[in-house]
Amino acid sequence: MASIRSWRQPASLTGPYRVALDEIAQLNTVFSDAFTERYRRDGMVGVRVPHLNPQVWRYAIEDADDGALVWRDARGDIAAFNMIHRSGTEGWMGPLALRTDHQGRGVGGDVVRYGIDWLRARHASVIGLETMPRTLDNIGFYSVLGFDPGRLTLTVTLDAESHGAPAALLSHLSSRDRCDQLDAARALLQSMRAGYDYTREIELTESLALGETVLVNARDTLAGFALCHTAALVEGRSREELRVLKLVLRDDADVPSLVEGLRDLARRSGTRRVAIRVQGEYTPLYRQLIAMGGRVRWSDLRMSLASHPEPAPSGGGVVLSNWEI
């Protein structure tokens, strides 16, 4: 989620600096205040955006690596941040936000432009972000910076449900089989999106104990996988959703098998439902999920830099990539 508003006024921030893990509390405060103010401007006065789970922040920081950047005020406090991610040649920014007392001073454009330059320097073929579709000034702001609006991303949820045999999980494999499946996952994705690579996110999710990778095999060959987080998104709350971050399938016909595995994992992990963020280009998948009892819970607008657009789906299969944490 991205929320920055910028006007042409002077600002006195320095940076960017690499954020430290012991600054997560500061990130949470800036994040919560900025998005609460954004909702207020959109007429949702009673909404208070909660703090995120610190482990989710840690995932965002470690996934972004040297792209986890902050800008500081004269006292050294965090006034803006941008988590810049790169999954192979797929680049995206989020979350990013600007502290409310610095909004309207021309900082926002600099923060986003730095992210663009950072990704270009690392040869990203895609540069994107997601924002709130009802927030017209955000859309206009990113458009001025060179981003084009795409279709909506719709978050579809399905209730947790047992399906007999447990889902096939990467974490349950032997070390050798796990390495083989990671190699197969990388090869499968790159056969569908040249240069993309989600193995870093898969390994980081496992090392932080945030979730699982569900596998789908057909005729002893990896047909697809879904990287998902079962950890609570909001600080201090119980698990409510199993959130799918990445989903790759060679063939649409395997959607039911993968969704059944995700619903079963949700039930076994004590999570109420599965949340799948469906990019608007995948209408057949969206229809399948609705037919399975899926409900639309949220919408985001996906935007890509005009010079670095996201490739359109070609042929069969699905590649879903969540540009959120």
Side-chain angles (χ1 to χ4, degrees):
M1 185 183 296
S3 179
I4 284 188
R5 188 178 181 181
S6 173
W7 302 103
R8 294 182 179 178
Q9 293 181 14
S12 56
L13 299 185
T14 60
Y17 305 98
R18 172 78 180 273
V19 68
L21 292 176
D22 62 5
E23 295 180 298
I24 286 175
Q26 279 196 65
L27 288 174
N28 249 334
T29 298
V30 175
F31 171 86
S32 176
D33 290 349
F35 284 99
T36 296
E37 174 62 14
R38 179 68 270 167
Y39 283 120
R40 187 193 67 79
R41 291 178 183 169
D42 287 346
M44 303 171 70
V45 179
V47 175
R48 178 69 191 175
V49 175
H51 286 191
L52 300 181
N53 182 343
Q55 279 296 90
V56 173
W57 272 116
R58 183 177 176 185
Y59 172 85
I61 292 168
E62 294 193 12
D63 182 53
D65 197 20
D66 57 349
L69 302 174
V70 297
W71 285 254
R72 303 185 187 281
D73 63 16
R75 296 179 301 177
D77 295 332
I78 294 174
F81 65 82
N82 190 353
M83 301 293 120
I84 312 167
H85 305 263
R86 186 169 58 89
S87 304
T89 58
E90 180 190 26
W92 54 278
M93 292 177 270
L96 62 104
L98 179 64
R99 208 170 68 199
T100 54
D101 60 322
H102 280 272
Q103 292 178 9
R105 297 185 179 183
V107 177
D110 292 339
V111 170
V112 177
R113 288 188 195 96
Y114 190 92
I116 292 170
D117 291 342
W118 190 95
L119 288 167
R120 279 175 168 161
R122 288 155 181 80
H123 309 293
S125 61
V126 175
I127 298 177
L129 52 81
E130 290 187 342
T131 190
M132 293 173 276
R134 66 185 169 276
T135 305
L136 301 183
D137 56 348
N138 266 16
I139 297 170
F141 167 71
Y142 290 118
S143 296
V144 168
L145 293 174
F147 287 85
D148 288 337
R151 296 188 181 181
L152 292 177
T153 293
L154 297 177
T155 299
V156 179
T157 64
L158 300 103
D159 292 338
E161 186 175 279
S162 297
H163 283 277
L169 303 178
L170 183 69
S171 65
H172 288 184
L173 301 180
S174 67
S175 295
R176 180 175 179 178
D177 288 343
R178 179 183 173 280
C179 288
D180 288 344
Q181 289 291 67
L182 275 174
D183 288 343
R186 184 185 298 108
L188 172 61
L189 175 58
Q190 293 195 359
S191 72
M192 302 174 71
R193 292 285 188 276
Y196 282 31
D197 189 350
Y198 297 155
T199 52
R200 174 180 173 80
E201 288 93 334
I202 291 171
E203 293 179 320
L204 185 57
T205 293
E206 185 174 322
S207 69
L208 295 178
L210 288 172
E212 296 278 2
T213 300
V214 177
L215 308 172
V216 173
N217 290 282
R219 296 178 294 279
D220 298 323
T221 301
L222 184 68
F225 63 91
L227 169 64
C228 54
H229 284 184
T230 56
L233 179 62
V234 174
E235 184 176 21
R237 291 190 186 173
S238 60
R239 296 177 176 181
E240 295 181 350
E241 290 184 341
L242 180 154
R243 305 179 307 283
V244 176
L245 274 65
K246 311 290 182 185
L247 187 153
V248 178
L249 277 174
R250 189 188 304 278
D251 193 324
D252 293 353
D254 291 316
V255 167
S257 296
L258 184 53
V259 171
E260 285 181 3
L262 289 166
R263 297 177 82 172
D264 185 80
L265 175 61
R267 173 59 65 87
R268 294 175 190 271
S269 63
T271 310
R272 295 174 55 191
R273 55 184 176 261
V274 175
I276 302 175
R277 293 164 52 82
V278 183
Q279 280 87 72
E281 291 81 1
Y282 291 103
T283 303
L285 171 63
Y286 174 77
R287 288 175 178 164
Q288 281 183 282
L289 296 177
I290 296 299
M292 293 177 186
R295 287 169 286 182
V296 179
R297 298 278 187 176
W298 194 254
S299 64
D300 291 280
L301 179 66
R302 205 164 174 94
M303 302 186 74
S304 297
L305 196 67
S307 59
H308 293 66
E310 191 172 17
S314 59
V318 176
V319 177
L320 300 183
S321 181
N322 186 356
W323 288 350
E324 295 279 0
I325 59 169

